[in-house]
Amino acid sequence: MSSAGMTGRKGQWSDIRRNVPPVTGVSCPVRKMPLRLFPRTRSPIPSTTRNPSTRAPEREYRAMKEKTYVGADLDDLGQVFSADVLIVGGGPAGLSAANWIKERNSAANVLVVDKATTGFSGGKGNKGAGVLFVMSEDDDMDAFREFHVKSIGHYLNDQEMLERFAGKSLEVVDRLEKWDIHIMREADGKLAKVEELPLWSLCGFDLDMMAKLRKLAVKNKVRMLDKTQIVELLTEGNRVVGAIGFSILDGACRIFRAKSTLLANGSCNYMVTNMWSSGRGDGIAAAYRAGAEMRNAEFGNFYNLHLRGNMAAIVGGQYALYSNQGEPLAPKYCEDFECDINIGIILGMEKEIMEGKGPVRFEPKEYFIKNPLAAKGFLFRWDRPTAKKFWERLFEKEARYTSDHAKRPEVIPGFIGELSCIRVDHHMKTSLHGLCALGDTSHCGSAWAGATAAPPGRIRGAALMYTFVSALLAAESVTDHLAEIAEPVIFRGQVKRFKEEIYGPMDRNKGISPRDLIFNLKEVIAPPLYSARKSKERLLEAIGKVKEIRERMVEVSPAKDWHMLGLYHDLRNMTQCADIYFYASLQRTESRGWHYREDFPVRDDKHWLKWVIVKQVDGRMHLSAEEIPIERYRSKPNG
Ligand SMILES: Cc1cc2nc3c(=O)[nH]c(=O)nc-3n(C[C@H](O)[C@H](O)[C@H](O)COP(=O)(O)OP(=O)(O)OC[C@H]3O[C@@H](n4cnc5c(N)ncnc54)[C@H](O)[C@@H]3O)c2cc1C
């Protein structure tokens, strides 16, 4: 289908409905309603938290249009929305930034766009462990920085950002509590925390946080537009002036014009592991294509330890692993105090198996004794009704569907991914004007965490704390200068070109499914062979395989299904992220922290106290290495 029938010109909705193929998938809004035999009763769910995915897109657009429609000049190309601040992604980063912006400037016109449902979506904040990193009053910042930079970040940290991040955490707790988000406290009012961690605090909160953030956003008059997949950033020279995407329900083209754009649409997890499957790197790839710099991308692929039978993650399970001959692995492959999984144990597991000592087994009793995170069952130590319900349901399902209990104790590395490499400064600004990157889009790129795959960066709970800190910093920097920012100008030519690229695949009536190529991509990115134990030879092999996948994308047909078109763009973004990761890994010819090169197994401070920077220039990838200003920092490699 051509893109002509997808525009939102006045009075054309009926044409659009007629022209588009039927929407498939779980969230199809066009349903046959059953005959109502009983009088309508009030929904027990308050209207502000009710899942709005069933609202007709027309109604949503009309309501939005009344307040924001400004784009007469682009009217024929799509539905045009205007905002002071456009936030892409309604997860914890996007929603908290939106609320903080409105609290600082209630007149600001803030629009949150999500490809799923703001506050309920593929976002991860409402289905996690509910743990939060905090530097509490009892923790020593100098000791924490020294430990982190030496043992986790391996001197690749932006140490000033590290202190800024940790230093803001108590303020975040305070602000979240003002929003009625419950951070667990003891009877005496002190933060309730896992006692076993010596240098920082791990606190708990309940998983109803996202519903509260959304409710607050409604109250603050933050505008929200769901089921809209942002594909590209619109630019005016070196400035980002908005974005373009499409409705995954009816395919309508949506053009956004904004003074400031905040990317808050998550990391890249390549759809490998279930609970992380929503992270497809859309924001990272779009920022890269627009010319933004990426940093520390070679630390992008994280592995958890998973039970083979059901893929359940055993956080901190490194202390409870045994070879098939009963030899404990921790003394061989772990440092004295491993606060979380290290690359050493992943490489060690592989080595044991190659030497015929596999499979690697898990001893649950040891786990609960030795692991500082699991000690005393940290998931259940706090009274958190929503988290309790979530975890109990998960464990109950696990028991129901995992019949093969004989396999439970076998442990394998479970690929998570977590490319989060958009480079940001201390105010969350990217290298492009008008563009900030928050939360999982820039966790590694902010460089606070250094040479570790982040999130979680070997500190559980740091993911959400970074999410909130980055949202707060971005809200401050965006609102302070809003009035002075010039009105954005959008170029018709760019919009037209992007539209052709976005809808191009819909012209192909026949072809392979994007799912087939996504499967092929998973086979390249997930094995430790390519993403943990790296070498020049294997990285080039992986790059070659990604190239083959990209070349085959011309064969993909979304089968006239808007969800499949979305998946096509996910695939495109994920291949781009894989490229960024593999090329950055190739560039760093040493081993450091979570980055291990078999052909360069030693850390090389003489040549590699540098950040690898990746950016796209004139359509080609450009790689460089930038000196770390180590002289300016307080922790240095030799004392
Ligand atoms: C199982 C699990 C458990 C976790 N537990 C914890 C924990 O206990 N503590 C902790 O600190 N961290 C935890 N994390 C990590 C934490 O949840 C994430 O760091 C956090 O959710 C990141 O927030 P975010 O808003 O940056 O991104 P996300 O939560 O990923 O939200 C991104 C949003 O952007 C939307 N989006 C994506 N692409 C587009 C697009 N193209 N257009 C429009 N919208 C788009 C998505 O639908 C989503 O709503 C956990 C993660 C998982 C998966």
Side-chain angles (χ1 to χ4, degrees):
M1 157 178 277
S2 83
S3 57
M6 301 163 195
T7 61
R9 233 170 297 152
K10 224 174 177 179
Q12 285 199 341
W13 278 111
S14 54
D15 299 349
I16 292 167
R17 304 298 301 169
R18 234 190 343 263
N19 287 341
V20 291
V23 182
T24 60
V26 283
S27 54
C28 174
V30 189
R31 303 210 176 110
K32 237 182 168 176
M33 296 304 289
L35 198 64
R36 188 175 287 120
L37 299 176
F38 301 100
R40 187 200 292 264
T41 52
R42 273 183 75 80
S43 163
I45 310 168
S47 61
T48 44
T49 55
R50 205 176 299 149
N51 186 334
S53 63
T54 48
R55 265 186 288 162
E58 296 99 310
R59 233 179 62 200
E60 196 173 67
Y61 173 56
R62 284 207 193 102
M64 191 74 67
K65 190 173 148 182
E66 275 167 29
K67 294 176 200 154
T68 65
Y69 191 75
V70 292
D73 53 336
L74 298 165
D75 203 18
D76 56 321
L77 296 178
Q79 303 167 358
V80 184
F81 300 86
S82 182
D84 290 328
V85 185
L86 167 68
I87 301 180
V88 183
L95 271 183
S96 49
N99 284 319
W100 275 319
I101 291 170
K102 290 297 273 187
E103 281 182 3
R104 289 173 72 83
N105 179 353
S106 60
N109 180 341
V110 180
L111 173 60
V112 178
V113 179
D114 200 290
K115 78 172 168 190
T117 306
T118 305
F120 294 89
S121 59
K124 298 172 276 182
N126 52 357
K127 50 179 183 289
V131 291
L132 198 61
F133 160 94
V134 184
M135 278 301 280
S136 74
E137 295 96 340
D138 308 333
D139 299 314
D140 178 343
M141 176 69 96
D142 284 339
F144 172 68
R145 189 201 57 249
E146 199 59 37
F147 166 77
H148 195 291
V149 171
K150 181 167 174 266
S151 305
I152 298 181
H154 295 273
Y155 301 94
L156 283 201
N157 310 72
D158 174 338
Q159 295 182 28
E160 291 157 357
M161 188 60 209
L162 182 154
E163 291 190 1
R164 199 167 162 79
F165 158 70
K168 277 260 178 198
S169 61
L170 264 186
E171 182 187 338
V172 162
V173 167
D174 190 42
R175 284 170 176 269
L176 293 181
E177 286 182 327
K178 284 200 181 105
W179 286 348
D180 196 30
I181 289 170
H182 297 298
I183 318 286
M184 303 304 138
R185 288 189 179 269
E186 305 289 2
D188 62 3
K190 281 193 146 190
L191 282 170
K193 51 195 190 187
V194 174
E195 298 297 342
E196 292 74 11
L197 296 168
L199 292 169
W200 64 92
S201 301
L202 187 67
C203 304
F205 64 91
D206 210 350
L207 300 182
D208 53 358
M209 171 192 75
M210 289 309 299
K212 289 183 178 174
L213 286 179
R214 184 183 163 100
K215 201 170 168 182
L216 190 69
V218 172
K219 192 171 148 217
N220 282 335
K221 299 197 168 35
V222 171
R223 292 171 306 117
M224 295 175 230
L225 183 65
D226 291 335
K227 311 292 179 221
T228 302
Q229 180 158 342
I230 296 295
V231 182
E232 299 288 0
L233 294 169
L234 298 172
T235 51
E236 179 197 350
N238 195 31
R239 178 185 173 195
V240 171
V241 288
I244 180 168
F246 64 97
S247 159
I248 58 166
L249 297 183
D250 64 9
C253 176
R254 291 181 170 165
I255 302 161
F256 300 88
R257 184 194 328 243
K259 285 182 171 182
S260 284
T261 302
L262 272 48
L263 281 179
N265 50 346
S267 54
C268 188
N269 307 96
Y270 306 93
M271 296 170 73
V272 175
T273 303
N274 280 356
M275 286 218 283
W276 280 262
S277 66
S278 67
R280 294 156 196 205
D282 293 5
I284 295 168
Y288 170 74
R289 289 193 292 267
E293 287 183 3
M294 308 288 137
R295 174 166 58 173
N296 280 349
E298 64 275 30
F299 301 97
N301 282 348
F302 176 70
Y303 291 84
N304 261 336
L305 295 175
H306 283 186
L307 295 182
R308 186 174 160 208
N310 55 13
M311 288 305 281
I314 40 169
V315 175
Q318 62 270 20
Y319 289 106
L321 300 185
Y322 286 77
S323 74
N324 213 21
Q325 291 149 0
E327 189 188 8
L329 302 194
K332 280 167 93 174
Y333 303 112
C334 293
E335 304 271 330
D336 282 351
F337 170 69
E338 291 284 18
C339 51
D340 205 330
I341 183 169
N342 195 356
I343 189 88
I345 199 79
I346 300 288
L347 299 171
M349 284 169 74
E350 195 196 17
K351 187 162 174 283
E352 296 286 315
I353 291 165
M354 300 300 267
E355 288 172 3
K357 297 183 204 157
V360 172
R361 303 258 170 210
F362 172 65
E363 179 46 72
K365 270 184 276 161
E366 295 283 319
Y367 179 50
F368 287 104
I369 294 166
K370 290 191 185 157
N371 167 18
L373 289 178
K376 299 179 195 165
F378 82 105
L379 280 183
F380 296 105
R381 64 185 294 154
W382 298 298
D383 181 20
R384 303 177 297 173
T386 312
K388 190 163 175 277
K389 210 164 126 194
F390 172 82
W391 285 103
E392 279 177 356
R393 174 122 179 79
L394 201 71
F395 292 150
E396 183 252 318
K397 263 173 121 178
E398 200 176 292
R400 193 150 26 110
Y401 295 116
T402 314
S403 51
D404 195 355
H405 282 274
K407 284 187 178 164
R408 274 183 71 89
E410 194 179 328
V411 178
I412 55 167
F415 178 88
I416 301 296
E418 297 286 34
L419 185 74
S420 61
C421 58
I422 303 181
R423 182 185 193 159
V424 285
D425 67 9
H426 299 175
H427 306 279
M428 296 301 122
K429 292 180 182 166
T430 67
S431 58
L432 298 177
H433 293 302
L435 183 70
C436 290
L438 328 179
D440 279 5
T441 62
S442 65
H443 197 130
C444 245
S446 73
W448 86 261
T452 182
R458 300 186 58 215
I459 296 197
R460 302 284 159 160
L464 278 167
M465 183 47 81
Y466 175 79
T467 290
F468 293 124
V469 170
S470 63
L472 186 58
L473 293 172
E476 286 169 3
S477 72
V478 162
T479 15
D480 286 352
H481 304 288
L482 211 50
E484 301 142 35
I485 300 174
E487 283 299 326
V489 176
I490 289 180
F491 293 103
R492 281 182 69 84
Q494 190 180 46
V495 172
K496 276 185 170 173
R497 180 165 60 80
F498 281 150
K499 269 192 81 173
E500 279 163 22
E501 284 171 17
I502 291 170
Y503 292 106
M506 289 303 265
D507 291 336
R508 291 193 281 274
N509 291 331
K510 282 192 187 147
I512 53 174
S513 160
R515 288 191 196 286
D516 295 342
L517 292 186
I518 288 172
F519 184 80
N520 293 353
L521 184 66
K522 289 184 200 187
E523 287 195 319
V524 186
I525 198 83
L529 187 71
Y530 296 125
S531 287
R533 188 164 56 84
K534 300 180 256 189
S535 71
K536 181 177 178 186
E537 190 192 344
R538 283 196 298 276
L539 286 168
L540 288 173
E541 194 180 306
I543 287 167
K545 289 182 179 201
V546 175
K547 186 165 173 259
E548 273 171 34
I549 292 168
R550 207 179 14 257
E551 284 166 0
R552 289 200 64 198
M553 281 179 66
V554 291
E555 298 168 35
V556 171
S557 163
K560 301 221 177 293
D561 180 326
W562 301 116
H563 285 78
M564 282 294 157
L565 181 66
L567 211 53
Y568 167 88
H569 287 290
D570 293 344
L571 167 66
R572 179 174 173 233
N573 293 331
M574 290 190 291
T575 54
Q576 204 128 44
C577 287
D579 261 348
I580 294 170
Y581 169 75
F582 286 131
Y583 275 107
S585 299
L586 199 57
Q587 182 84 351
R588 184 173 288 284
T589 47
E590 63 152 359
S591 291
R592 184 180 295 262
W594 193 270
H595 168 77
Y596 178 74
R597 284 281 301 260
E598 203 173 34
D599 42 356
F600 297 96
V602 179
R603 193 173 103 184
D604 176 2
D605 281 352
K606 191 163 169 227
H607 300 103
W608 276 109
L609 279 178
K610 290 177 184 158
W611 288 309
V612 172
I613 307 293
V614 187
K615 71 185 275 197
Q616 183 167 282
V617 184
D618 297 330
R620 297 180 72 89
M621 182 181 281
H622 181 267
L623 288 132
S624 59
E626 182 182 309
E627 295 280 347
I628 291 172
I630 200 83
E631 289 313 316
R632 213 170 75 200
Y633 294 157
R634 299 215 271 165
S635 300
K636 301 194 190 348
N638 298 314

